Amino acid sequence: MTIETIAVMQDEVRALARERDAVILAHNYQVPEVQDIADYVGDSLGLSREAAATDASAIVFCGVHFMAETAKILSPDKTVLIPDLDAGCSLAASITADQLREWKAEHPGAVVVSYVNTTAEVKSESDYCCTSGNAKAVVDAIPEDQEILFLPDLYLGIWLEKVTGRKLNVWMGECHVHAGIRPADIERWQAEAPDAELLVHPECGCASQCMAFGNDNTHILGTESMIRFAKESPKQRFLIATETGILHRLRKDVPGKTFEAVSEDAICKYMKMITLEKLRDSLRDWKFEVTVEPEIAAKARLAIERMVAIG
Ligand code: SF4
């Protein structure tokens, strides 16, 4: 699409959203032209908070399916739309509710902490949800002698064990995008750009090695924390180890500094299924509506509300 056709379609999207009383929420990994039209851009926690607080009668969720489900759970009376129903998540798909029930049966009495990248049904079997932004605070809020099952991300779990000093039972799931950022990518950059600050998402395959071998310039941060860190840092150059969609937000919110991807291949095909055109069609044709069974939603809401409440 040319800059002109993008601008015309963005005007169309704005007009439709006004007409339909819809708020557009977009994840940090969305394509730039979708981020630029959204009412709010953020990480899963920020988007959940916006979904819970909005006065609009509908939410168009530009992200992946579990995120739209979370919005529906928090705003059951609102219509929640996702522009492409196939926008899934390999990490959320790594554990089913049946697998979680079996795991819980092996650890009776354990508290279940689920990363927000899970289906509504898995959330309904969990005590707490968390994002990478508040995972440490959630684990810290649980009594020290309490056994914890953490799922589904292996690398986030290893990072949490390190920063909380707690022993966790960690599910062996992974996100194919973050797991694909390897220690060799980090080592190459550390050699080529020793002056740069390295910001690594805790889901990355390299995150646990970074904790062991990283230097003072290495920081393990969720996406919103990356933006805060870059704003506050006196440094000029930053290397980013997460999905490359965040670069657009960083460059926009922190002008005058340099941001480079550690791996240009770190692209989530699911996030990128949402296009400006599909967003326009979603608003125009009122599709695709996301629903969650009321019983599952009621149970999942408790875990999500704990996540939203813990900063
Ligand atoms: S980047 Fe990974 S965790 Fe995020 S939506 Fe894509 S597959 Fe899921």
Side-chain angles (χ1 to χ4, degrees):
M1 285 171 92
T2 64
I3 291 172
E4 290 74 23
T5 52
I6 287 173
V8 169
M9 199 171 286
Q10 285 177 327
D11 284 345
E12 203 181 339
V13 167
R14 269 190 206 103
L16 282 163
R18 261 196 312 275
E19 199 180 294
R20 301 281 199 156
D21 189 27
V23 66
I24 300 170
L25 304 184
H27 191 269
N28 286 326
Y29 299 158
Q30 289 293 291
V31 292
E33 58 271 25
V34 168
Q35 287 194 32
D36 290 344
I37 195 73
D39 296 294
Y40 180 84
V41 183
D43 67 355
S44 302
L45 182 60
L47 295 170
S48 300
R49 288 193 168 126
E50 288 297 315
T54 183
D55 291 332
S57 31
I59 297 167
V60 186
F61 209 104
C62 299
V64 295
H65 193 266
F66 76 81
M67 296 178 178
E69 274 187 338
T70 305
K72 181 67 186 175
I73 291 165
L74 288 171
S75 296
D77 301 333
K78 297 185 193 304
T79 302
V80 175
L81 303 175
I82 188 165
D84 189 328
L85 270 178
D86 290 331
C89 167
S90 60
L91 181 54
S94 71
I95 185 165
T96 64
D98 281 342
Q99 286 173 312
L100 175 52
R101 282 188 277 268
E102 275 172 36
W103 201 28
K104 281 165 68 172
E106 289 162 16
H107 298 268
V111 165
V112 178
V113 179
S114 293
Y115 190 38
V116 70
N117 295 41
T118 45
T119 62
E121 204 183 349
V122 166
K123 287 186 179 76
S124 75
E125 291 287 337
S126 307
D127 299 294
Y128 290 85
C129 273
C130 68
T131 68
S132 52
N134 75 350
K136 179 180 179 307
V138 168
V139 171
D140 284 343
I142 297 169
E144 290 220 354
D145 56 350
Q146 178 66 60
E147 185 181 18
I148 297 175
L149 305 183
F150 179 79
L151 62 105
D153 189 72
L154 160 70
Y155 299 106
L156 185 59
I158 293 172
W159 174 76
L160 268 176
E161 286 191 320
K162 167 98 177 176
V163 295
T164 63
R166 303 269 294 261
K167 178 81 194 91
L168 308 174
N169 299 289
V170 179
W171 189 258
M172 300 293 276
E174 62 177 29
C175 152
H176 71 291
V177 180
H178 286 96
I181 302 176
R182 305 307 308 164
D185 295 318
I186 302 291
E187 282 161 15
R188 181 169 46 81
W189 275 107
Q190 279 175 335
E192 285 175 15
D195 59 316
E197 295 285 284
L198 175 64
L199 311 188
V200 181
H201 196 283
E203 273 176 34
C204 287
C206 58
S208 39
Q209 283 89 341
C210 282
M211 282 184 297
F213 305 113
N215 52 27
D216 289 347
N217 294 345
T218 307
H219 310 275
I220 315 281
L221 301 165
T223 50
E224 287 301 311
S225 301
M226 285 183 182
I227 292 161
R228 257 196 315 278
F229 183 92
K231 276 184 185 162
E232 289 165 8
S233 168
K235 296 288 186 65
Q236 284 301 307
R237 187 175 181 194
F238 300 85
L239 306 175
I240 308 299
T242 188
E243 212 275 351
T244 58
I246 191 69
L247 293 170
H248 179 68
R249 173 106 191 271
L250 282 162
R251 288 171 183 149
K252 207 169 152 180
D253 284 16
V254 196
K257 296 191 179 183
T258 308
F259 300 97
E260 294 150 89
V262 161
S263 169
E264 291 289 350
D265 296 333
I267 294 171
C268 176
K269 64 178 181 182
Y270 302 111
M271 285 283 180
K272 271 36 180 189
M273 281 180 181
I274 310 297
T275 61
L276 187 60
E277 200 173 1
K278 287 183 196 169
L279 169 57
R280 188 270 319 270
D281 295 350
S282 175
L283 278 160
R284 189 191 57 199
D285 305 333
W286 218 233
K287 64 183 185 183
F288 298 92
E289 193 167 346
V290 175
T291 55
V292 180
E293 293 275 330
E295 254 179 50
I296 289 174
K299 281 163 75 188
R301 191 173 301 118
L302 295 173
I304 296 168
E305 283 174 350
R306 288 184 186 135
M307 170 186 84
V308 174
I310 297 175

